[in-house]
Amino acid sequence: EVINADRDGLLIRFGDVPALAAAIDRLLTDQPLAAAFGAAGRRKVLAGMTWDSVSQNMQDVYEQLVPSAKKI
């Protein structure tokens, strides 16, 4: 749910060691791909996975569950 396959990372089936080795080799030998994945991942984190955004999302949930909850 965090990685979008071939957009910001590679997905490997758990326990598939040969596939993991191939993915690592691919990233080590394809520097533009590795850089693109890194940049896309950074954008994704800055867009919605910072502590500020996560805490705001939690506050919103609390306010929905307990209407009298005050903003911190």
Side-chain angles (χ1 to χ4, degrees):
E1 293 182 19
V2 175
I3 301 295
N4 293 319
D6 297 321
R7 285 194 206 158
D8 52 26
L10 300 172
L11 293 178
I12 308 300
R13 185 180 305 258
F14 180 79
D16 189 343
V17 175
L20 177 59
I24 291 170
D25 183 60
R26 182 177 174 198
L27 292 172
L28 289 173
T29 58
D30 190 343
Q31 293 294 322
L33 178 66
F37 283 169
R42 179 175 170 75
R43 284 190 302 273
K44 182 187 289 189
V45 167
L46 293 176
M49 297 179 184
T50 64
W51 283 114
D52 286 340
S53 64
V54 169
S55 65
Q56 183 59 56
N57 289 341
M58 290 302 299
Q59 182 68 37
D60 293 344
V61 169
Y62 292 147
E63 288 177 3
Q64 289 174 9
L65 296 173
V66 182
S68 62
K70 295 181 180 180
K71 287 204 178 249
I72 299 173

